[in-house]
Amino acid sequence: MIHSARSIKKIILLLAFVFSAVSLFAEEMTLYNQDYRMRIQYNDIAYSGDAVFMRLEISPASVALKKDLKPKAKLTLFIDGKSSRKSDFYFIPTTDSNLPSSSITMLTGIPLSTWWTNESSYYLELSYSVDGNNTEVQKLPFVLMNKTFVSETIELDDRNTSIKTDNSKQRMDQIQNLNEILATINADAVYQTTKFIKPVNSNYRTSFFGDRRVYAYSSGGSSTSLHNGIDFRSPEGNDVFACAKGRVALAGWRNSTGWSIVIEHLPGLYSLYYHLSEMLVEPGDIVEEGSLIAKSGSTGLATGPHLHWEIRLNSEAVSPDFFTVDFAFEP
């Protein structure tokens, strides 16, 4: 969404968001027993609206034990002592050349709501079974840092008001279809674990992730919502690139977002590209990081040409900036 009025406060917030995404606060520890060594890496500090990712590297104590490694693991986030969110680990390629060839690497992530604050207490619980039978539990510290989000009112013309208030079966079916795609967690969908890139050459952001919005209708009345992505100013027909390697899960028309593309990158992790003027990929295509996938536009609910870029983890919107750093702790 493009708007003409931008306050100094919003510019300051943009700078704060950029600097907060420079690096992750990484915690590392190693657990030992007679059968294996397990290295744990995760970001023990994160901002509201980001994510917590954890990487496990499991190495058998001897080559003879390799056949006995059948690891399973789950990560749980606790808020004020109560289980809030869980996520299963999945296998990824072992890329650390210092690890034995028999090592196994696993990864998972949990989205952190933009509504959560540091007024609550948080910790993580890692439950794992290396042999597939005995389950062990490790309690791990975690700190959530507050982030300030922009609040704004957007005046909609008649066309955009009709799109925003469209309750037709067609639009409801489109919403349901997208939700089903984003809720799909395919454990074999491991395409890229290195940091992502921006999908456009522009650095000019017209709206930010997590904006609290009030939509004022031309017909009177209003509604509120959360802005789930980042809007980049991008003239009609500018190139749009895949932010990472992945499989195109959706490429088609949606009433509210116009020509839209969704790409699957990891189990439960998707990038979304909205308001396109032209699509250059089809569902099922495998694209590389930096592949030309579309042209920017102003289709759907838009007040001018731009690119809306969004990241969803386990169906929830997460700050795209989080994934432009080493979120998977690659060596």
Side-chain angles (χ1 to χ4, degrees):
M1 183 74 60
I2 290 181
H3 319 294
S4 57
R6 289 289 176 252
S7 67
I8 294 178
K9 177 181 177 182
K10 199 159 188 178
I11 296 173
I12 293 173
L13 287 171
L14 169 60
L15 294 175
F17 290 173
V18 170
F19 287 117
S20 71
V22 170
S23 62
L24 292 182
F25 302 94
E27 175 68 21
E28 181 176 332
M29 64 187 68
T30 303
L31 305 179
Y32 297 89
N33 77 5
Q34 62 183 1
D35 297 326
Y36 66 88
R37 184 196 75 169
M38 184 165 70
R39 182 186 183 196
I40 303 171
Q41 294 171 285
Y42 74 103
N43 53 303
D44 61 336
I45 301 176
Y47 288 91
S48 304
D50 286 352
V52 55
F53 264 76
M54 184 173 288
R55 181 189 185 103
L56 305 180
E57 294 172 340
I58 305 170
S59 302
S62 68
V63 175
L65 290 170
K66 179 182 178 182
K67 65 180 182 300
D68 296 324
L69 287 181
K70 301 175 182 178
K72 295 181 181 179
K74 182 186 296 289
L75 185 64
T76 304
L77 175 68
F78 284 78
I79 303 178
D80 294 330
K82 297 181 180 179
S83 173
S84 175
R85 294 183 180 175
K86 300 179 180 180
S87 184
D88 291 326
F89 282 79
Y90 46 87
F91 298 101
I92 64 173
T94 298
T95 54
D96 190 342
S97 60
N98 295 317
L99 293 175
S101 60
S102 56
S103 297
I104 294 172
T105 303
M106 306 174 77
L107 185 71
T108 198
I110 291 177
L112 306 172
S113 172
T114 61
W115 301 107
W116 293 347
T117 70
N118 61 11
E119 294 178 2
S120 296
S121 61
Y122 303 82
Y123 70 87
L124 297 167
E125 186 177 272
L126 169 63
S127 58
Y128 61 95
S129 172
V130 174
D131 60 8
N133 296 312
N134 301 314
T135 299
E136 300 183 58
V137 176
Q138 187 78 25
K139 183 177 177 180
L140 301 166
F142 178 74
V143 175
L144 185 75
M145 299 177 66
N146 290 341
K147 181 185 285 186
T148 302
F149 296 97
V150 173
S151 296
E152 61 182 355
T153 298
I154 301 173
E155 304 285 343
L156 298 183
D157 59 17
D158 291 344
R159 186 187 75 87
N160 283 321
T161 294
S162 66
I163 294 174
K164 185 65 178 174
T165 56
D166 177 13
N167 293 317
S168 66
K169 183 179 184 303
Q170 181 186 54
R171 181 166 178 256
M172 296 304 105
D173 288 345
Q174 292 168 355
I175 292 172
Q176 180 179 349
N177 178 56
L178 177 62
N179 288 340
E180 289 175 355
I181 290 173
L182 299 178
T184 301
I185 301 177
N186 176 11
D188 297 324
V190 177
Y191 295 101
Q192 182 165 323
T193 56
T194 54
K195 63 183 180 179
F196 294 2
I197 63 171
K198 291 192 295 87
V200 290
N201 293 323
S202 171
N203 289 317
Y204 194 119
R205 304 182 183 201
T206 57
S207 291
F208 309 128
F209 170 77
D211 286 1
R212 276 63 167 147
R213 288 182 166 179
V214 175
Y215 288 99
Y217 302 147
S218 62
S219 56
S222 64
S223 64
T224 60
S225 69
L226 195 71
H227 189 237
N228 288 325
I230 297 171
D231 287 351
F232 290 97
R233 175 171 291 176
S234 186
E236 188 89 12
N238 268 23
D239 292 342
V240 176
F241 308 100
C243 66
K245 182 178 180 179
R247 179 188 66 86
V248 177
L250 182 149
W253 176 265
R254 303 183 70 248
N255 291 7
S256 57
T257 60
W259 294 114
S260 306
I261 292 174
V262 177
I263 301 176
E264 178 184 38
H265 303 289
L266 286 170
L269 183 63
Y270 297 83
S271 62
L272 300 82
Y273 313 78
Y274 287 165
H275 310 298
L276 308 169
S277 63
E278 182 181 359
M279 300 186 303
L280 304 175
V281 293
E282 297 180 354
D285 287 350
I286 303 298
V287 297
E288 300 293 329
E289 176 189 296
S291 294
L292 179 63
I293 60 171
K295 301 289 186 176
S296 58
S298 55
T299 56
L301 177 57
T303 59
H306 69 288
L307 175 71
H308 173 96
W309 178 42
E310 189 171 319
I311 299 287
R312 294 288 187 110
L313 173 61
N314 299 347
S315 294
E316 183 161 348
V318 177
S319 173
D321 288 324
F322 177 86
F323 295 93
T324 60
V325 297
D326 182 21
F327 68 93
F329 311 102
E330 285 292 298

